[in-house]
């Protein structure tokens, strides 16, 4: 019988530990994870990339919902554990769930420190710690213009850069006389300030905030010197403190953090702690690399693998703000017993400094060129003696570095972390090379996640490859559609066509996939490409789809699902509304909500109830979960509106009925507006139709999400038949040339509007595209109806316990 392990905290440190535990002892534990946030595990250090617009929310998810399901992990998001019963070995959440444990890991992370200033509770005063804060800043930027960030450290500057990208006027308030004073010396800090000022950032240094001004909402700050600055938004980025509340209330020993020994054990047997909440030898770490190192030790301990115990971490910091690269590691400040080697080039904006004590490098600061960062960090961690050759550390001999990267890798221990973002050690990479045959950075990324996030460790990963395989053994390959293949999307699709490949297995075998099972990135993409090329020959591979598409409903944070029946053009009837109401009452639906796509969403449905609810509804699936046509939003048009020039509802219903169930590279939204007032917001949709006098304007490539993009005008047509003809041709051309998971907005940016116009210009080409899309549409069936009618498909919705009982009977 499996032992039960409970992880409190769904963040990077805790989940990394579970990942490693699954590799070491995959069947040893029944795992339950509780997370206070309503999200799967995401990369918190990339929040600044989301704020800066370089990444979307989905881009920073490290383990999506399906990962938990695939590993049989019970996940409770939106649940905060509030009580530990040490005697009964149970935990209880604020939502009333109780879980038993044999081993308990506390990875509760940290809380942002909010300065206890008068006015700190005003509207518009926030921290920068999680996705919620990120969204709050993005939302505020839509209305307000003046932002002040309190804190000129790493997090504060990243927040400030993000707010600049949101077109806000940004000032950074810092109590010290120079920025990032905990990571940089005065010279590097000054160079950073000059660079950021060029980008539009303003600085108020040596300022101590006295009070936050404003009535209900913040209007500014007053400092202790009497000066003031205006602000519509105040972001506090002044540090974090370990979240020890649960441990403290449970009688677990705490100091600044939860006190742990070298094996991450707390004062209570069977309870461990890792991450920002833990305090080891008096140190509570706030950077990601030490947290992964702690997780690796604990995973071995729980798996019964011999380990030396955690010995503490030497930390380094990398910052990239809009092209400004900064690196800092170890002890960077000058002291009487230290000497330093410095290189400064004001013309190129480069500064390098290495601090040496007793012949050993103990710290480094790099600005502008951080290519030596990994090498210097390795030398610091290894305590390499450079006596007599101090200058060569930076200047090299005859213009070359004193040692190659591979030579420095040789001196690293196997436990040393190479990829700080994902906690991948040198040993894990060496193992992937020796046991799984990885011979390129891309293959290492696919196999271990090293370099998969910020990418800053790619040179170090390449050094590990060179160290193990030698320079001649390392493959330099172009980026493929995933780490399983060097082939890009176009090459794979062309091979599927020319070689008549009809299954994912065939593709992987014939095209020599390095991972014979594929990965979570290529499996769903191949399933789509095969279905697009061979709609009749290819049998949909349900197991390759993501969890929402497998279950034809959207999984929610508590593990329940939402059900959205189709409402063509957003039009419904009293009869359908009554039926939906009756079904909602019958299944005790917790929430009924109108969606932005003019439909009704039934939320909180148990998985086992889905087929029954679909049968009772007797309505088509709204595909609110799939990479397919979602909705066609309409206004009332000329039917009721005195400004309407065309029948927008009728046009929208025709479009939705024609293209419902169509598989597309990514989700597709459409809209039809009855006049140029555009009440249906057609010009931010993938395909928008706007009525004009005597015809219709057809718009393409819009997006109303995080990457807002207005549409491009494709053409003007006169009749509804022409709207259907052009929309069908457009969708099929997108299907045939788009990358899997690429929205039309990104696709248009990639291939260009003129190429799309040229592809659709000729009538015969549009007819050919429509012929192919019609063939696909003729084969599509409503998935809800299929599941209702087929016992084998319904069985997948029956809970495992009941399936076992049935098999016994």
């Amino acid at each position: 019988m499996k032992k039960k392990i409970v992880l409190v905290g769904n963040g990077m440190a805790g989940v990394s530990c579970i990942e490693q535990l699954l590799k070491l002892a995959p069947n040893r534990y029944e795992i339950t994870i509780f997370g206070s946030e309503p999200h799967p595990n995401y990369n918190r250090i990339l929040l600044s990339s989301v704020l800066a617009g370089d990444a979307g929310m989905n881009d920073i998810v490290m383990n999506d919902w399906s990962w938990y399901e695939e590993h049989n992990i019970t996940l409770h998001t939106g649940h905060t554990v509030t009580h530990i019963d040490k005697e009964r070995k149970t935990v209880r959440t604020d939502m009333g769930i109780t879980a038993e444990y044999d081993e308990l890991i506390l990875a509760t992370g940290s809380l942002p420190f909010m300065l206890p200033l008068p006015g700190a509770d005003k509207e518009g005063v926030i921290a920068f710690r999680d996705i919620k804060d990120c969204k709050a800043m993005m939302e505020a930027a839509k209305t307000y213009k003046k932002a002040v960030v309190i804190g000129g450290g790493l997090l504060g500057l990243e927040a400030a850069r993000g707010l600049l990208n949101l077109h806000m006027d940004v000032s950074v308030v810092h109590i010290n006389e120079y920025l990032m004073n905990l990571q940089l010396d005065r010279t590097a800090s000054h160079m950073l300030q000059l660079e950021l000022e060029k980008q539009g950032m303003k600085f108020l240094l040596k300022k101590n905030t006295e009070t936050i001004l404003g009535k209900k909402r913040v209007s500014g700050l007053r400092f202790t010197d009497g000066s003031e600055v205006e602000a519509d938004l105040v972001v506090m980025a002044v540090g974090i403190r370990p979240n020890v509340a649960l441990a403290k209330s449970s009688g677990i020993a705490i100091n600044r953090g939860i006190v742990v020994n070298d094996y991450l054990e707390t004062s209570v047997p069977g309870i461990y702690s890792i991450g920002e909440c833990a305090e080891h030898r008096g140190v509570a770490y706030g950077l990601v690399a030490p947290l992964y190192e702690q997780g690796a030790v604990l995973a071995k301990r729980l798996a019964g693998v011999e380990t030396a115990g955690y010995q503490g971490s030497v930390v380094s910091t990398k910052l990239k703000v809009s092209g400004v690269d900064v690196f800092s590691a170890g002890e960077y400040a000058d002291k009487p017993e230290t000497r330093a080697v410095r290189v400064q080039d004001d013309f190129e904006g480069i500064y390098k400094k290495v601090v040496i004590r007793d012949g050993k490098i103990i710290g480094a600061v790099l600005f502008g060129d951080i290519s030596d960062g990994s090498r210097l960090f390795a030398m610091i961690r290894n305590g390499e003696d450079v006596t007599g050759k101090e200058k060569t550390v930076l200047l090299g001999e005859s213009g070359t570095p004193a040692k190659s990267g591979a030579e420095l890798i040789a001196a690293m221990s196997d436990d040393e972390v190479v990829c700080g973002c994902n906690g991948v050690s040198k040993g894990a990479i060496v193992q992937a090379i020796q046991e799984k045959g990885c011979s390129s950075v891309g293959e290492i990324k696919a196999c271990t996640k090293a370099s998969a996030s910020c990418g800053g460790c790619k040179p170090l990963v390449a050094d590990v490859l060179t160290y193990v395989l030698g320079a001649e053994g390392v493959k330099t390959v172009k980026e493929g559609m995933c780490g399983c293949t060097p082939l890009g999307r176009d090459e794979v699709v062309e091979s599927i066509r020319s070689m008549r490949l009809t299954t994912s297995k065939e593709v992987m075998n014939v095209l020599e996939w390095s991972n014979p099972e594929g990965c979570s990135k290529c499996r769903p993409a191949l399933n789509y490409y095969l279905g697009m090329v061979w709609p009749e020959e290819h049998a949909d591979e349900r197991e390759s789809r993501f969890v929402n598409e497998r279950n034809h409903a959207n999984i929610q944070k508590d593990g329940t699902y939402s059900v959205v029946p189709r409402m063509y053009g957003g039009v419904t009837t009293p009869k359908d509304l009554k039926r939906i109401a009756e079904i909602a009452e019958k299944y005790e639906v917790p929430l009924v909500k109108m969606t932005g796509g003019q439909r009704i969403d039934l939320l909180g449905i148990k998985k086992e109830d889905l087929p029954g609810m679909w049968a009772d509804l007797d309505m088509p699936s709204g595909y609110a979960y799939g990479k397919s046509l979602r909705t066609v939003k309409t206004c009332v048009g000329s039917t009721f509106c005195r400004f309407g020039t065309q029948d927008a509802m009728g046009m929208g219903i025709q479009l939705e009925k024609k293209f419902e169930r169509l598989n597309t590279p990514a989700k597709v939204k459409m809209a039809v507006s009855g006049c140029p007032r555009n009440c249906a917001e057609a010009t931010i949709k993938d395909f928008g139709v706007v009525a004009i006098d005597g015809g219709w304007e057809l718009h393409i490539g819009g997006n109303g999400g995080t990457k807002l993009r207005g549409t491009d005008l494709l053409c003007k047509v006169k009749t509804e038949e022409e709207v259907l003809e052009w929309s069908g041709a457009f969708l099929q051309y997108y299907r045939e040339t788009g990358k899997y998971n690429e929205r039309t907005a990104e696709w248009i940016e990639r291939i260009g509007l003129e190429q799309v116009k040229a592809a659709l210009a000729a009538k015969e080409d549009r007819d050919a595209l429509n012929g192919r899309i019609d063939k696909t549409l003729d084969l599509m069936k409503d998935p809800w109806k299929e599941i209702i009618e087929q016992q084998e498909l319904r069985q997948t919705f029956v809970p495992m316990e009941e399936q076992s009982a049935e098999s016994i009977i």
Side-chain angles (χ1 to χ4, degrees):
M1 187 176 177
K2 290 184 179 180
K3 295 177 71 176
K4 295 179 179 177
I5 193 166
V6 168
L7 168 64
V8 180
N10 191 30
M12 297 169 70
V15 175
S16 169
C17 177
I18 294 297
E19 282 184 315
Q20 296 184 62
L21 181 59
L22 287 167
K23 292 177 183 174
L24 295 168
N27 300 310
R28 189 165 187 166
Y29 292 100
E30 182 182 316
I31 301 170
T32 300
I33 298 178
F34 292 96
S36 295
E37 291 188 70
H39 311 287
N41 174 41
Y42 66 89
N43 192 333
R44 195 180 300 277
I45 61 177
L46 294 182
L47 278 175
S48 56
S49 299
V50 174
L51 195 59
D54 296 331
M57 295 294 183
N58 290 334
D59 297 327
I60 67 172
V61 170
M62 301 177 73
N63 300 90
D64 62 21
W65 301 108
S66 61
W67 178 83
Y68 297 90
E69 188 174 275
E70 288 166 4
H71 291 89
N72 296 314
I73 295 172
T74 302
L75 173 65
H76 298 285
T77 55
H79 284 254
T80 300
V81 173
T82 54
H83 180 73
I84 301 171
D85 188 328
K86 301 192 293 288
E87 301 301 321
R88 291 186 174 85
K89 287 198 163 186
T90 61
V91 298
R92 189 174 69 243
T93 75
D94 59 344
M95 306 290 280
I97 286 184
T98 299
E100 298 177 351
Y101 69 84
D102 297 300
E103 313 285 356
L104 175 64
I105 304 173
L106 301 182
T108 47
S110 62
L111 300 171
F113 180 69
M114 298 293 284
L115 295 171
L117 297 169
D121 58 346
K122 292 187 188 303
E123 187 181 310
V125 180
I126 61 174
F128 180 35
R129 182 62 186 157
D130 55 26
I131 285 178
K132 176 172 60 65
D133 298 328
C134 223
K135 288 181 175 177
M137 281 189 261
M138 295 164 79
E139 192 61 33
K142 296 177 182 175
T143 307
Y144 302 101
K145 293 301 175 190
K146 290 185 178 295
V148 170
V149 177
I150 302 179
L154 179 67
L155 195 63
L157 295 181
E158 290 186 331
R161 181 59 253 183
L163 291 167
L164 273 183
N165 281 22
L166 295 171
H167 308 296
M168 296 196 80
D169 178 44
V170 183
S171 297
V172 177
V173 175
H174 195 43
I175 196 168
N176 202 284
E177 59 185 313
Y178 61 92
L179 301 171
M180 286 187 67
N181 52 291
L182 296 180
Q183 290 91 15
L184 302 181
D185 65 0
R186 191 182 296 270
T187 304
S189 173
H190 183 63
M191 295 176 78
L192 175 64
Q193 181 179 341
L194 290 176
E195 188 60 39
L196 295 178
E197 283 175 342
K198 288 179 188 173
Q199 298 179 15
M201 210 176 291
K202 301 171 185 172
F203 295 98
L204 298 167
L205 303 178
K206 296 177 70 175
K207 291 285 187 182
N208 194 0
T209 307
E210 181 181 81
T211 187
I212 296 175
L213 306 173
K215 294 181 179 178
K216 183 179 178 183
R217 186 178 182 91
V218 59
S219 63
L221 300 180
R222 179 181 299 133
F223 305 108
T224 51
D225 62 5
S227 60
E228 295 182 357
V229 61
E230 293 183 12
D232 304 311
L233 175 71
V234 170
V235 179
M236 287 199 192
V238 291
I240 56 174
R241 53 187 170 81
N243 183 1
V244 298
L246 176 63
K248 184 178 180 181
S249 65
S250 303
I252 298 169
I254 63 166
N255 187 25
R256 181 165 176 260
I258 302 170
V259 178
V260 296
N261 61 18
D262 288 357
Y263 294 99
L264 293 314
E265 296 165 328
T266 70
S267 60
V268 177
I271 300 181
Y272 310 84
S273 182
I274 55 173
E276 292 173 331
C277 61
E279 179 180 322
H280 173 261
R281 299 184 186 179
V283 179
Y285 293 94
L287 296 173
V288 70
L291 317 186
Y292 284 139
E293 291 170 1
Q294 293 173 0
V297 171
L298 180 56
K300 287 181 180 176
R301 188 76 165 174
L302 293 171
V305 176
E306 187 176 347
T307 178
Y310 177 63
Q311 301 298 312
S313 300
V314 178
V315 297
S316 66
T317 300
K318 280 191 290 186
L319 169 68
K320 190 176 182 69
V321 178
S322 193
V324 182
D325 290 311
V326 178
F327 172 85
S328 169
E331 301 177 38
Y332 63 90
D334 296 304
K335 295 178 182 175
E337 70 276 16
T338 65
R339 300 179 68 186
V341 179
R342 294 180 175 84
V343 173
Q344 184 171 353
D345 183 345
D346 290 336
F347 295 95
E348 295 293 330
I350 293 173
Y351 172 69
K352 299 183 179 184
K353 172 185 172 183
V354 171
V355 182
I356 299 170
R357 181 172 59 210
D358 298 332
K360 296 181 179 178
I361 299 175
I362 59 169
V365 174
L366 305 175
F367 180 89
D369 175 5
I370 62 171
S371 57
D372 291 325
S374 299
R375 179 175 62 84
L376 293 172
F377 188 47
M379 295 175 78
I380 294 169
R381 296 184 64 153
N382 297 332
E384 185 170 334
D385 195 327
V386 296
T387 303
K389 49 186 178 182
E390 292 88 349
K391 292 183 181 178
T392 65
V393 172
L394 277 182
L395 304 176
E397 295 175 352
S398 303
T400 56
K403 278 190 174 183
S404 70
E407 288 171 324
L408 288 165
I409 292 294
M412 290 175 63
S413 68
D414 282 350
D415 287 341
E416 288 189 49
V417 171
V418 172
C419 174
C421 294
N422 294 298
V424 185
S425 67
K426 170 195 165 187
I429 296 174
V430 171
Q431 186 179 22
I433 297 168
Q434 294 176 335
E435 297 181 7
K436 299 182 180 178
C438 296
S439 58
S440 68
V441 174
E443 289 174 355
I444 293 291
K445 181 170 73 173
C447 191
T448 67
K449 288 189 178 179
S451 77
S453 293
C454 77
C457 64
K458 276 185 179 177
L460 200 54
V461 174
D463 287 342
V464 179
L465 278 161
T466 305
Y467 160 68
V468 178
L469 299 175
E472 294 180 355
V474 179
K475 284 195 300 188
T476 302
V477 294
K478 62 180 182 179
E479 292 278 333
M481 60 183 283
C482 70
C484 302
T485 175
L487 301 175
R489 178 264 180 209
D490 292 346
E491 293 162 301
V492 171
V493 171
E494 177 53 33
S495 297
I496 289 172
R497 289 186 200 280
S498 61
M499 302 167 82
R500 293 199 65 83
L501 307 176
T502 58
T503 70
S504 293
K505 276 293 180 190
E506 277 187 331
V507 174
M508 293 174 187
N509 289 335
V510 174
L511 301 184
E512 298 181 337
W513 244 238
S514 61
N515 178 3
E517 300 299 323
C519 66
S520 60
K521 189 173 181 180
C522 67
R523 286 198 303 267
L526 285 180
N527 188 45
Y528 167 74
Y529 296 141
L530 287 161
M532 180 270 292
V533 175
W534 307 117
E536 293 172 303
E537 294 86 347
H538 171 66
D540 184 51
E541 296 165 3
R542 183 175 180 274
E543 67 282 3
S544 294
R545 291 184 175 273
F546 291 116
V547 59
N548 286 349
E549 292 188 326
R550 288 202 302 271
N551 294 328
H552 294 281
N554 256 328
I555 193 167
Q556 305 297 304
K557 67 178 185 180
D558 60 356
T560 64
Y561 289 79
S562 82
V563 169
V564 181
R566 181 72 69 184
M567 284 185 180
Y568 300 99
V571 177
T572 186
T573 64
K575 183 180 177 183
D576 282 348
L577 289 174
K578 285 179 184 175
R579 189 186 311 152
I580 290 171
E582 289 167 0
I583 301 306
E585 285 187 340
K586 176 179 176 180
Y587 289 89
E588 298 179 339
V589 175
L591 181 67
V592 180
K593 170 103 175 48
M594 297 302 297
T595 74
Q598 300 181 333
R599 306 193 287 188
I600 293 177
D601 195 350
L602 306 171
L603 293 126
I605 315 301
K606 296 175 185 173
K607 181 179 176 182
E608 56 266 33
D609 286 341
L610 290 173
M613 173 175 276
W614 297 335
D616 289 339
L617 281 169
D618 193 24
M619 297 172 73
S621 166
Y623 276 80
Y625 46 80
K627 299 188 190 307
S628 55
L629 173 65
R630 297 288 181 88
T631 63
V632 182
K633 189 174 182 179
T634 68
C635 65
V636 295
S638 59
T639 309
F640 282 97
C641 179
R642 58 199 172 96
F643 299 111
T645 61
Q646 305 282 356
D647 179 8
M649 286 189 294
M651 187 72 255
I653 290 170
Q654 285 190 70
L655 286 167
E656 191 159 352
K657 287 194 171 180
K658 180 173 175 60
F659 299 118
E660 64 173 324
R661 305 175 192 140
L662 179 69
N663 286 326
T664 45
K667 64 182 176 184
V668 168
K669 295 182 179 181
M670 304 173 83
V672 182
S673 288
C675 78
R677 286 176 173 77
N678 194 17
C679 292
E681 301 165 330
T683 49
I684 55 168
K685 301 300 182 188
D686 297 278
F687 189 87
V689 182
V690 179
I692 55 177
D693 284 339
W696 306 85
E697 286 181 349
L698 306 185
H699 295 258
I700 58 174
N703 188 9
T706 53
K707 295 180 180 177
L708 187 65
R709 185 183 191 276
T711 52
D712 295 311
L713 179 63
L714 176 63
C715 63
K716 296 179 183 179
V717 298
K718 293 182 178 177
T719 68
E720 293 183 357
E721 290 73 22
E722 287 177 298
V723 173
L724 292 170
E725 176 191 328
W726 278 83
S727 58
F730 167 78
L731 285 173
Q732 183 62 13
Y733 189 61
Y734 166 53
R735 293 183 77 234
E736 293 180 357
T737 55
K739 294 179 181 177
Y740 181 74
N741 210 22
E742 181 181 45
R743 293 289 301 271
T744 61
E746 300 166 299
W747 171 68
I748 288 283
E749 293 285 345
R750 179 170 62 85
I751 70 171
L753 175 64
E754 294 309 312
Q755 179 175 325
V756 178
K757 283 185 172 180
L760 307 185
K763 179 74 166 62
E764 56 268 29
D765 291 337
R766 295 198 300 277
D767 288 345
L769 288 162
N770 273 301
R772 295 197 289 275
I773 201 171
D774 287 344
K775 181 187 288 186
T776 298
L777 288 167
D778 287 344
L779 298 167
M780 303 306 294
K781 297 177 182 175
D782 187 83
W784 290 1
K785 194 172 182 182
E786 277 191 314
I787 292 167
I788 293 165
E789 293 175 347
Q790 296 182 33
Q791 170 66 25
E792 183 182 347
L793 294 177
R794 281 205 312 276
Q795 190 66 17
T796 62
F797 291 81
V798 177
M800 292 297 291
E801 319 79 82
E802 294 181 27
Q803 287 186 34
S804 300
E806 285 179 5
S807 65
I808 292 169
I809 292 168

